[in-house]
Amino acid sequence: MERYVWELTRELAQLGHHVTVVCERCHVEKPAGIDVHELGEIAPRPRWLALLRFGRRVERFLLAHPHDGSVIHSHERLRIHHITTFHGPPFATIFERPWWRWLSLRVAMQLFLERRELSQPQFVVPNSQFIKTLIAHYYPNLAQKMTEPIVPGVLAGAVRASRVVPPRGGVVGFVGKEWQRKGLPWVVKLVAALRVQRPELQLCVVGPEP
């Protein structure tokens, strides 16, 4: 997501738009021609509280800095944006799990923040057709806000040559520190099912603590 924002804001600036970035912290050299305002890092856990606190900081910043005529394009769970880009599957997929998984403050707050993010703006930009389909499924009343997907505007790396997957093996990779939210248990089940036909298949997990 961060690279998506990095590329998007630089391209908008090169097209002649005045771009202001509001973030917790800028981890790279600030690009020329773009105003970057750092609001300070927030404790990342619990995640819903960090999102709520960041949103409030952004609101206070915008109140203190008039922005008439500006378009607020958010990539976070805000309530004051005109456009939001949605970078991953909606949290509402929790409803596909057993009902007792829904009964927690964390789930209630994540669903609240997600609905607020999607309900406020004039346009919702999914970054893949798959994500667009999921949002439309779980939030059918917001379908009129959905745009066509805009895939991450990042520079293409080296193109890997096509290759044949070993009929009995191969490697499935999972990358993600937040392994529960990103579905590692589901991936484990998937690989177990694939091993029926491909018994030498390997699963490599990168990111979380063992």
Side-chain angles (χ1 to χ4, degrees):
M1 181 178 79
E2 288 77 8
R3 185 58 183 264
Y4 189 120
V5 176
W6 169 257
E7 299 287 356
L8 173 62
T9 52
R10 291 202 313 164
E11 290 296 325
L12 287 170
Q14 289 178 23
L15 289 171
H17 298 287
H18 177 230
V19 178
T20 298
V21 173
V22 181
C23 59
E24 285 191 13
R25 183 162 74 91
C26 183
H27 294 265
V28 296
E29 183 179 347
K30 295 178 182 177
I34 297 178
D35 297 329
V36 179
H37 296 271
E38 299 174 272
L39 303 184
E41 292 184 286
I42 297 169
R45 293 289 181 273
R47 181 175 171 80
W48 63 265
L49 184 57
L51 293 169
L52 200 59
R53 291 179 64 199
F54 178 71
R56 287 175 177 169
R57 287 189 184 183
V58 172
E59 290 182 39
R60 287 197 294 268
F61 173 85
L62 293 175
L63 283 173
H65 298 80
H67 52 280
D68 292 344
S70 297
V71 173
I72 302 174
H73 182 177
S74 170
H75 300 262
E76 293 287 353
R77 301 286 196 260
L78 302 185
R79 66 175 177 180
I80 51 169
H81 44 217
H82 304 106
I83 303 170
T84 186
T85 293
F86 217 83
H87 290 268
F91 190 85
T93 55
I94 188 76
F95 292 122
E96 302 302 325
R97 300 182 182 183
W99 63 268
W100 59 84
R101 297 288 299 275
W102 313 345
L103 306 179
S104 74
L105 177 62
R106 180 186 72 88
V107 169
M109 290 305 300
Q110 287 283 12
L111 289 171
F112 163 75
L113 289 167
E114 183 168 276
R115 289 192 196 98
R116 188 181 72 173
E117 176 190 358
L118 293 169
S119 299
Q120 175 63 31
Q122 295 169 259
F123 300 103
V124 175
V125 182
N127 75 346
S128 74
Q129 186 61 48
F130 174 66
I131 293 170
K132 178 180 181 179
T133 301
L134 284 177
I135 296 173
H137 173 71
Y138 290 102
Y139 299 98
N141 59 316
L142 302 177
Q144 75 280 2
K145 295 186 175 191
M146 302 285 290
T147 72
E148 287 304 304
I150 300 176
V151 298
V154 300
L155 296 175
V159 178
R160 187 168 62 183
S162 299
R163 61 198 194 323
V164 178
V165 177
R168 291 180 56 81
V171 178
V172 174
F174 177 92
V175 182
K177 190 173 182 180
E178 299 175 17
W179 60 272
Q180 288 177 302
R181 185 174 69 86
K182 296 189 175 182
L184 179 56
W186 181 82
V187 174
V188 171
K189 291 179 181 179
L190 177 66
V191 171
L194 286 170
R195 275 184 168 170
V196 174
Q197 294 182 332
R198 297 161 60 186
E200 297 170 14
L201 182 67
Q202 298 178 37
L203 171 61
C204 293
V205 180
V206 180
E209 293 296 324

